[in-house]
Amino acid sequence: MNVSLVEAKRTGRSQPTEIVVLPNGPKGPNALQRWLNDRGVGPIERITVKAPGVAWVRPSFGRVGRLVGERIHAWAAMFAAANACESEVSRLAPKA
């Protein structure tokens, strides 16, 4: 499937956001700007086409999966460290 990658910048101090436009989506920056404004995302300051009609590749899903896996491991390590700290505090606390 061919999709377009565009960058949209809302009016004001917000950061630009990357948007993937599907083949049946709005055609061209002006149509996309109207489409976003109609859905309450705007007002849009500018739209920049970064990659017109690029092929959607499956490896991007693999990268997302690896990123999720890395985050899960990071959370698990954080919880294990918190649990170890709590156990140590409980062990050192004076008994009533």
Side-chain angles (χ1 to χ4, degrees):
M1 169 175 21
N2 284 338
V3 298
S4 296
L5 182 63
V6 299
E7 184 177 84
K9 164 86 172 66
R10 292 180 62 185
T11 302
R13 302 184 102 187
S14 63
Q15 294 294 317
T17 302
E18 285 188 345
I19 300 172
V20 175
V21 181
L22 299 177
N24 61 345
K27 306 293 184 223
N30 291 335
L32 179 59
Q33 185 169 5
R34 282 192 304 277
W35 188 88
L36 292 169
N37 284 330
D38 291 347
R39 282 152 183 81
V41 178
I44 303 295
E45 182 178 309
R46 67 177 157 78
I47 291 181
T48 307
V49 178
K50 294 181 79 175
V54 297
W56 186 261
V57 292
R58 288 204 174 262
S60 62
F61 290 112
R63 285 192 299 263
V64 169
R66 282 193 303 275
L67 180 61
V68 169
E70 290 169 6
R71 292 280 160 49
I72 288 172
H73 288 299
W75 276 97
M78 183 183 71
F79 286 129
N83 188 35
C85 182
E86 183 179 11
S87 296
E88 185 65 18
V89 167
S90 296
R91 186 180 68 79
L92 296 175
K95 304 292 184 218

